Amino acid sequence: LGWACWKMYLGRPEADQYRIRGFGILGGALRLNGQYAEALPMMEAALALTQRYWSHDEQAILQLQDNLASCLVDVGWCDEALVLRREIYARWVATLGVSHERTILSGTNLLGVLLKLDLWDEVKWLARDQLLPAAQRSLGADHTLTLDLNVKLTGATMLNSKSSRNDLRLNQHRFSRHRR
């Protein structure tokens, strides 16, 4: 279906929103099929065209950047994905604030790349000091994102060879509290 969508709208003018969406849909379909290298140029094209012709639609641009960052991780370009994820998270914070669900999701995505790159200190700071308090306050302790943040923080603390006994104890306390 992704190819059909792309082919159907390819002949439309370059600035046409349906043509641009066709690139994004094809990229998403290729990515879902595990064809990451093929998806990447489609996602880049959708983002570039949206930035050129629909620059006022910041949420659409952020969503396309998010999709592109996920694809970059899939092809193993985690350093490039990290730069993009940081930019996306900063824009959501500026646009919606730290406690908005979309911002917290973006921060959780950023954590995933930080974990892949073994950037333990940044994971700990972002999860424990920024995201988890915002998620608990705005979404509640039982929300999926809050639970996911707890799992990521627990995993990062356990995998980090520099974690102190106190870090591990606090982690165990926090995790057991959320299990109840």
Side-chain angles (χ1 to χ4, degrees), residues 111-147:
L111 283 177
V113 179
L114 293 169
L115 285 166
K116 280 191 174 289
L117 294 171
D118 297 336
L119 297 173
W120 309 115
D121 292 335
E122 195 171 346
V123 168
K124 185 173 151 183
W125 173 81
L126 183 62
R128 187 188 65 202
D129 300 340
Q130 299 291 310
L131 295 172
L132 203 48
Q136 289 170 336
R137 192 174 47 250
S138 63
L139 304 174
D142 291 332
H143 191 278
T144 305
L145 283 175
T146 307
L147 296 171

Side-chain angles (χ1 to χ4, degrees), residues 156-167:
T157 305
M158 291 172 61
L159 293 171
N160 183 359
S161 61
K162 297 177 186 173
S163 291
S164 68
R165 283 187 186 266
N166 190 45
D167 286 338

Side-chain angles (χ1 to χ4, degrees), residues 163-175:
S163 291
S164 68
R165 283 187 186 266
N166 190 45
D167 286 338
L168 294 171
R169 256 188 254 115
L170 288 172
N171 212 34
Q172 182 181 7
H173 174 70
R174 180 178 36 259
F175 195 70

Side-chain angles (χ1 to χ4, degrees), residues 34-145:
Q35 297 173 282
Y36 310 124
E38 294 85 357
L40 196 56
M42 296 296 118
M43 292 181 169
E44 290 171 330
L47 176 59
L49 290 169
T50 301
Q51 288 172 324
R52 183 179 309 144
Y53 297 111
W54 299 90
S55 59
H56 63 279
D57 193 351
E58 186 169 16
Q59 290 194 5
I61 290 170
L62 288 170
Q63 186 59 54
L64 288 167
Q65 286 178 321
D66 191 58
N67 294 341
L68 179 60
S70 295
C71 195
L72 289 170
V73 170
D74 293 336
V75 296
W77 296 354
C78 292
D79 291 326
E80 292 83 353
L82 179 60
V83 171
L84 196 51
R85 288 271 188 229
R86 283 184 172 142
E87 179 184 325
I88 295 164
Y89 177 66
R91 289 303 312 145
W92 281 122
V93 168
T95 305
L96 300 173
V98 294
S99 296
H100 193 278
E101 184 174 359
R102 187 66 193 100
T103 304
I104 296 167
L105 177 60
S106 177
T108 304
N109 291 338
L110 173 55
L111 283 177
V113 179
L114 293 169
L115 285 166
K116 280 191 174 289
L117 294 171
D118 297 336
L119 297 173
W120 309 115
D121 292 335
E122 195 171 346
V123 168
K124 185 173 151 183
W125 173 81
L126 183 62
R128 187 188 65 202
D129 300 340
Q130 299 291 310
L131 295 172
L132 203 48
Q136 289 170 336
R137 192 174 47 250
S138 63
L139 304 174
D142 291 332
H143 191 278
T144 305
L145 283 175

Side-chain angles (χ1 to χ4, degrees), residues 19-35:
R19 180 176 192 248
I20 296 169
R21 287 182 187 169
F23 281 107
I25 290 169
L26 176 57
L30 289 168
R31 182 172 173 258
L32 286 174
N33 280 335
Q35 297 173 282

